[in-house]
Amino acid sequence: MCAMAVSGNSQGSGAPFRDGKGRFSLVVPNGWVASPLGDAVQVRSGNALASVTVSDGRQDADRLLLSLGGQIAGQWSYFEEMEHGVASLGGQKAAFGVFGGRNPQGVQSMLRIVTTSTDRYSFALIMSAPAFEYIAKKPGFDAIESGFSTGSDAPPMAA
């Protein structure tokens, strides 16, 4: 098992989740549930979903963002970029994009992708929710994004 599932039902702002290989950690907001998925983790609350994928090697954050956006554009309809810029993720310079369109289930949705790299790994944080739920789920997405740490900066799991 690559990662450990942690329920986001603890008191405070959320529960810690640490990748089983020590590559990253994040905060699972209260009411959200984390589930390992191969070399990734999914954090879910209702129809809102955040996932972290990890790949070996350093990639340019903007190129990774554009590649992922292109892959998703092939699966969604009416897919359009609404915002694109520079951010920080886990203390690393990152690229982000905000997109809208109809997901593969035909639901009008919003999507935020944030990508970054360390010397050893590249990370993509992909957050999506139906458009009518996105604003309500944004505090959870923000907590996941701001609570993300890479590698040795990742705090140990709470006992």
Side-chain angles (χ1 to χ4, degrees):
M1 180 184 250
C2 293
M4 200 177 214
V6 176
S7 173
N9 294 323
S10 69
Q11 294 184 5
S13 63
F17 173 92
R18 182 164 182 150
D19 168 61
K21 294 181 180 178
R23 300 169 296 181
F24 69 92
S25 70
L26 55 81
V27 171
V28 179
N30 290 333
W32 293 63
V33 177
S35 303
L37 190 65
D39 241 11
V41 63
Q42 286 189 341
V43 184
R44 172 170 253 138
S45 174
N47 294 316
L49 175 69
S51 62
V52 174
T53 60
V54 182
S55 55
D56 288 331
R58 182 172 189 80
Q59 297 182 50
D60 178 77
D62 207 50
R63 285 188 188 147
L64 179 55
L65 171 66
L66 293 173
S67 175
L68 290 169
Q71 290 173 33
I72 293 168
Q75 300 168 7
W76 289 37
S77 56
Y78 308 105
F79 190 77
E80 64 178 307
E81 182 179 281
M82 302 165 75
E83 189 177 358
H84 184 123
V86 176
S88 178
L89 183 65
Q92 305 290 324
K93 182 179 176 185
F96 80 92
V98 178
F99 307 88
R102 292 197 181 276
N103 67 21
Q105 292 76 37
V107 176
Q108 187 67 32
S109 298
M110 299 289 296
L111 174 75
R112 178 177 168 92
I113 303 172
V114 186
T115 58
T116 194
S117 287
T118 64
D119 290 337
R120 295 186 61 197
Y121 302 108
S122 294
F123 302 91
L125 172 58
I126 303 169
M127 300 168 280
S128 178
F132 65 91
E133 291 181 41
Y134 190 82
I135 296 299
K137 296 299 183 178
K138 190 168 183 331
F141 289 142
D142 290 347
I144 293 166
E145 187 172 336
S146 66
F148 183 90
S149 297
T150 61
S152 61
D153 294 333
M157 284 292 295

